[in-house]
Structure formats: structure tokens, C-alpha cells
Amino acid sequence: LKDADVLRFWAATHMPIVTVIRTIAGNMIPSVTIDDWAGTELLMKHLFEKAHEKIAFCYCHRDNPPAAARYRSYKKMMAEKKFGPDPSMHVPVDGSTSGGYKAGIEILKNPNLPSAIIGFNDLTAIGLIKACYDRGLSVPKDISIASFDNIRISEVVTPALTSVGASFDELARISFNELVNRIDNLKLEDDAKHYIVKPEL
């Protein structure tokens, strides 16, 4: 649903709503989101500490505010380090493993390979790992792969992913408590609160 659709539904029903990993414009509906700028900074600093300079990024080409924030933060930090932009290192993906695989194959055609590739989510990164292996590259010996969200499958992939994510338990707890609060206090409908959860590497 688009933001306008959610707002129309809320205006017609005044049903208590809390959005998770999404903020609806208009400050009418409370939200619980992750600080994607801070998460990207954590990931980029980690890669810089590992002496990575040529870092590719697979970004979401759809309307995805968290992915857009991650991509903007990445570009800002690369610019601050004076690592010039390289269009061949910025590849759009759809967020799936197959999309990550296709992006990886595209990036690995570059004769001047990156030392690290970031997927905007874990599924993209899993596809990137497969692309590296199919091209005879070892991860992380030859090339490092990192990503966002820290979904459960990222722990069992070989090698385990370096991923930034927030506690799903905390997201659920805050969302549930806020929703119950709004059910119990319907007069809060014009006082939307916005919670931001700090991510971890």
C-alpha cells in the first residue's frame, strides 16, 4: 500500500495503526524504524578498518526508503574518504538472491575488481556470494561481502555474513506496546510517536 492509501484507510476507520520499518508522511501514524544511516556508518567503518577502499554497492532500484538511506549514507562516506565514484560499482538490484547473483556477475566483469561488495539486504548478499564462487573467487579471502538486516539465514550461509541489523524482538516489543497504548487511549490518534531502534554490526 502507498502512504496515501494507508492514510485514507486510517482517516475512514480511525483504526489504531503502527508501521514497522516505515514512516507514513503526515505525522498521523506512529512508526518503529531502524536508524539506517547509523547502521551504514557501522558497516562502512568496519570495512575501512579492514583497509577496503574500492567498495561496490548493490542498491534497491524500487521505492524503498531504508534502502535509499543506506545507499546515500554509503555514497557520503565514500566521498568523505575521497574514494571517487565509479558507476560500474553501483548496481541496482531487486532485493532477491537471484538479483544479487546477477549483480555480482555484472560487477565481477570489471577488470579492476572491488575488494568488498555491499548488498542493501542479506538476500542480495547471498546471491553475491554465489556469484563470487561461480567466478572462482573465495569469500572473504579474495573479496568481502557485507549486508543489512541480519536475517536468520545469514547465520547459516557459508561463510556467515557480516550484516547490520536491529533486534527483531525489540522492534516487535516497541510496536506491540505502542499499538496497545493506542487501542487503550484512542485520543492519542493525533499524537504520533516515532521510535528509532539503533542497529548493531
Side-chain angles (χ1 to χ4, degrees), residues 17-23 30-34 171-172 174-176:
I17 298 173
V18 176
T19 59
V20 185
I21 319 295
R22 175 181 183 181
T23 301
S31 65
V32 184
T33 57
I34 299 170
L171 288 168
I174 295 172
S175 304
F176 183 80

Side-chain angles (χ1 to χ4, degrees), residues 73-130:
S73 182
Y74 152 81
K75 290 199 294 185
K76 177 177 179 289
M77 294 192 73
M78 289 291 282
E80 288 174 351
K81 283 286 188 178
K82 303 294 191 291
F83 299 150
D86 182 346
S88 68
M89 295 292 105
H90 301 175
V91 180
V93 292
D94 61 7
S96 68
T97 52
S98 60
Y101 180 83
K102 292 175 185 175
I105 295 299
E106 188 66 29
I107 291 170
L108 297 176
K109 290 178 182 177
N110 193 321
N112 188 12
L113 291 178
S115 62
I117 308 175
I118 299 174
F120 90 92
N121 69 357
D122 290 334
L123 293 178
T124 297
I126 291 168
L128 289 169
I129 291 173
K130 175 85 164 64

